[in-house]
Amino acid sequence: MNRVLLVAVSLLAALGFSTNAFAQSTYATVSGFVQDPSQAFIPGVTVTATNTQTGVTTQTITNESGTYTILSLLPGTYRLTAELPGFKTQVINDVQLGNGATVRYNFTLQV
């Protein structure tokens, strides 16, 4: 009886680990920071990731430290933009995101 219970628990644990591993490898993450030309970090900047094949956009806003993170992006080619009134919009084209990729792109916005 104990042996059957041990096998069942082992099987459930293995299934749980394999499901978590699969889920973590599907989506990509982009993060970074936004600075001005004096290298001061800028809060409140809208950062947008646009999938150039599907047109789907995902946005976030930099926090008080000027950092941002965009989670759960499908693999593909993206255009990243950072914009805030009073600054020139900066664009990074042809960002390639694969399964489970975690990449970092920093911006410097010009006044």
Side-chain angles (χ1 to χ4, degrees), residues 46-71:
T46 300
V47 179
T48 305
T50 303
N51 185 312
T52 59
Q53 288 121 350
T54 65
V56 173
T57 62
T58 305
Q59 287 187 330
T60 192
I61 297 176
T62 58
N63 65 16
E64 63 279 351
S65 301
T67 63
Y68 73 92
T69 300
I70 301 175
L71 304 168

Side-chain angles (χ1 to χ4, degrees), residues 10-109:
S10 297
L11 194 60
L12 288 174
L15 182 61
F17 288 130
S18 66
T19 302
N20 285 340
F22 178 75
Q24 291 175 358
S25 67
T26 303
Y27 297 106
T29 299
V30 177
S31 64
F33 58 78
V34 182
Q35 294 177 301
D36 67 14
S38 72
Q39 297 185 342
F41 295 103
I42 310 172
V45 177
T46 300
V47 179
T48 305
T50 303
N51 185 312
T52 59
Q53 288 121 350
T54 65
V56 173
T57 62
T58 305
Q59 287 187 330
T60 192
I61 297 176
T62 58
N63 65 16
E64 63 279 351
S65 301
T67 63
Y68 73 92
T69 300
I70 301 175
L71 304 168
S72 300
L73 297 172
L74 290 173
T77 304
Y78 285 81
R79 179 177 60 250
L80 303 177
T81 59
E83 53 191 333
L84 182 69
F87 292 88
K88 290 183 181 178
T89 299
Q90 185 179 0
V91 178
I92 301 173
N93 288 305
D94 299 321
V95 174
Q96 300 294 321
L97 299 179
N99 285 341
T102 299
V103 297
R104 185 168 190 82
Y105 285 92
N106 301 320
F107 294 91
T108 300
L109 297 184

